[in-house]
Amino acid sequence: MGSSGAYPPTFSPVGTWLAYASDHTGQHEIYVRPFPGPDPEIRISTNGGTSPVWGRDGQALLYRAGELYERMMIVEVTVTGGETLDLGTPSVLFEAPGVVWTSPVRAYDITPDGDLVMIKFSEPAEPVTQIEVVLKWFDELKRLVPTEP
């Protein structure tokens, strides 16, 4: 997966694809490759990225991007017959200014019913005093940013 540094892979829901971040080009990027291989990797990100996670239905791949990894990106994915991967263009799902992830560790996941769960880290000296949970955030996002005129 690259000799400089490949970060832990994540399996697609059907287990036939691996997504991972690697810095073997000198910048963290998101790649996928068929499992168990040996086909070559396919670059997903267009300008850096880390911490990929598959949507539960396997029809999307999310990752963090930006100088401080403050953008959550999404790429639509279509897998045909478990072997053919068609990819959409990466787009910004949302931006979280002020949220800084300095670690390649994935601090978010998709729940079985499709909700996004994220952990916002505080400075090490600050105790955690509250946890905010946003349920059905895709519905809330659609309400706030309608896609239809």
Side-chain angles (χ1 to χ4, degrees), residues 20-92:
Y20 57 93
S22 175
D23 63 358
H24 66 266
T25 62
Q27 172 174 287
H28 288 100
E29 297 288 355
I30 302 300
Y31 298 90
V32 296
R33 69 170 16 155
F35 181 81
D39 295 353
E41 64 189 11
I42 301 166
R43 185 171 152 185
I44 301 295
S45 55
T46 56
N47 193 20
T50 190
S51 306
V53 66
W54 293 92
R56 293 294 179 197
D57 60 5
Q59 296 181 5
L61 187 67
L62 282 74
Y63 64 92
R64 297 183 349 234
E67 185 177 331
L68 302 173
Y69 302 114
E70 72 278 4
R71 287 193 304 268
M72 183 66 69
M73 305 296 290
I74 188 167
V75 177
E76 291 184 27
V77 177
T78 304
V79 179
T80 307
E83 297 179 11
T84 305
L85 187 72
D86 292 316
L87 303 167
T89 302
S91 61
V92 177

